[in-house]
Coordinates of all heavy atoms in Angstrom, one line a residue:
Q42 N 64.8 44.5 13.0 CA 65.1 44.9 14.4 C 64.3 44.1 15.4 O 64.9 43.8 16.5 CB 64.7 46.4 14.5 CG 64.9 47.0 15.9 CD 64.8 48.5 16.0 OE1 64.7 49.2 15.0 NE2 64.8 49.0 17.2
F142 N 78.0 28.3 -4.0 CA 78.7 27.2 -3.4 C 78.5 25.9 -4.2 O 78.7 24.8 -3.6 CB 78.4 27.0 -1.9 CG 78.5 28.3 -1.1 CD1 77.4 29.1 -0.9 CD2 79.8 28.7 -0.7 CE1 77.6 30.2 -0.1 CE2 79.9 29.8 0.0 CZ 78.9 30.6 0.4
H152 N 81.7 23.1 8.9 CA 81.4 22.1 9.9 C 80.5 22.5 11.0 O 80.2 21.7 11.9 CB 82.7 21.5 10.5 CG 83.6 20.9 9.4 ND1 83.3 19.7 8.8 CD2 84.7 21.3 8.9 CE1 84.2 19.4 7.9 NE2 85.1 20.4 8.0
V157 N 68.4 26.4 8.6 CA 68.1 27.1 7.4 C 66.6 27.2 7.2 O 65.9 26.2 7.2 CB 68.7 26.3 6.1 CG1 68.4 27.0 4.9 CG2 70.2 26.1 6.3
M198 N 61.6 39.6 7.1 CA 61.9 40.9 7.5 C 60.8 41.6 8.3 O 59.6 41.4 7.9 CB 62.2 41.8 6.3 CG 63.4 41.2 5.4 SD 63.6 42.1 3.9 CE 64.4 43.6 4.5

Side-chain angles (χ1 to χ4, degrees):
Q42 184 169 347
F142 307 98
H152 299 288
V157 179
M198 303 173 73

